[in-house]
Amino acid sequence: RFTVRNGDFEKWDEGEDMVVGWNLDRGKLFPDEHSKMRGKRSVCIQVDPADDRKWPFCRISSDSFSLEPYTGYRMRLWVTSAFQGWVETIVHSMRDSLFSEDGRVTGVHAWADDFYTTNGFPWVPVEVEFMTGHSTEYGIAILATAVKGGPNDKAWIDDVRIEKTGKVKALATTED
């Protein structure tokens, strides 16, 4: 089993409110010791109340990590929320830019089914199976998008893990 660096969100930089191994791309984040799946805490990501977009969102991304090329994996995490909207989870190759300048997803990636949230929803697993290509460096992006922007639009994430599925993509040969 391969665990994403600090996928349980237990380690935080002292005094900076930044989770080790993860980056805040948009919105706000903070540790939450009350709402968690396991361990001491989870990470809570929040839409910035000052965000005046039609579809305000918050996003965190992992530091890069290494996976074996041409191999099958499953990423799994747990999520709950206190808003109406959806949470998107993306595993992507670090060779490509994941987001264009206007915020659209680009590049090589695997996308879990959107998880549509409601206030007070229980913790649920979100997972995606994917096959690596020739790239060995990958990252994870987690986006929470609110249907209506509100000051309390939050999503909690915990226990992000990646494991091999045992599937291997065979390389094509000139004899085929």
Side-chain angles (χ1 to χ4, degrees):
R1 176 180 280 219
F2 174 83
T3 303
V4 175
R5 181 176 178 219
N6 199 25
D8 57 4
F9 303 104
E10 297 294 318
K11 297 179 186 116
W12 290 73
D13 285 334
E14 295 282 330
E16 292 186 30
D17 281 340
M18 287 304 300
V19 63
V20 172
W22 293 81
N23 307 290
L24 177 64
D25 301 326
R26 182 174 195 85
K28 298 178 178 185
L29 70 82
F30 53 91
D32 193 322
E33 296 174 358
H34 302 287
S35 184
K36 60 191 182 285
M37 261 310 285
R38 291 180 201 78
K40 297 176 188 172
R41 63 185 63 93
S42 66
V43 65
C44 180
I45 56 177
Q46 180 179 9
V47 171
D48 185 342
D51 192 336
D52 60 357
R53 296 173 188 244
K54 180 178 180 182
W55 302 100
F57 67 95
C58 48
R59 180 176 67 216
I60 61 171
S61 58
S62 71
D63 288 348
S64 66
F65 51 87
S66 297
L67 297 176
E68 294 176 24
Y70 306 105
T71 304
Y73 289 91
R74 177 182 304 109
M75 182 196 63
R76 184 176 182 148
L77 59 90
W78 291 85
V79 63
T80 189
S81 69
F83 73 96
Q84 195 169 9
W86 58 92
V87 176
E88 299 161 284
T89 307
I90 305 165
V91 179
H92 61 94
S93 166
M94 297 301 282
R95 298 184 99 186
D96 302 308
S97 174
L98 180 59
F99 298 100
S100 65
E101 287 184 25
D102 64 354
R104 293 178 185 253
V105 177
T106 63
V108 177
H109 63 278
W111 202 307
D113 290 337
D114 290 356
F115 168 70
Y116 191 77
T117 64
T118 57
N119 285 331
F121 209 88
W123 284 95
V124 295
V126 175
E127 65 180 45
V128 61
E129 288 195 16
F130 63 99
M131 185 76 68
T132 58
H134 61 278
S135 178
T136 58
E137 293 298 309
Y138 284 81
I140 297 170
I142 302 169
L143 297 83
T145 306
V147 172
K148 300 176 186 173
N152 296 313
D153 291 342
K154 299 173 185 168
W156 289 264
I157 313 295
D158 208 355
D159 295 332
V160 179
R161 302 194 184 290
I162 291 183
E163 60 189 11
K164 282 187 189 180
T165 61
K167 301 173 187 173
V168 177
K169 188 185 224 179
L171 297 176
T173 66
T174 55
E175 298 172 8
D176 289 340

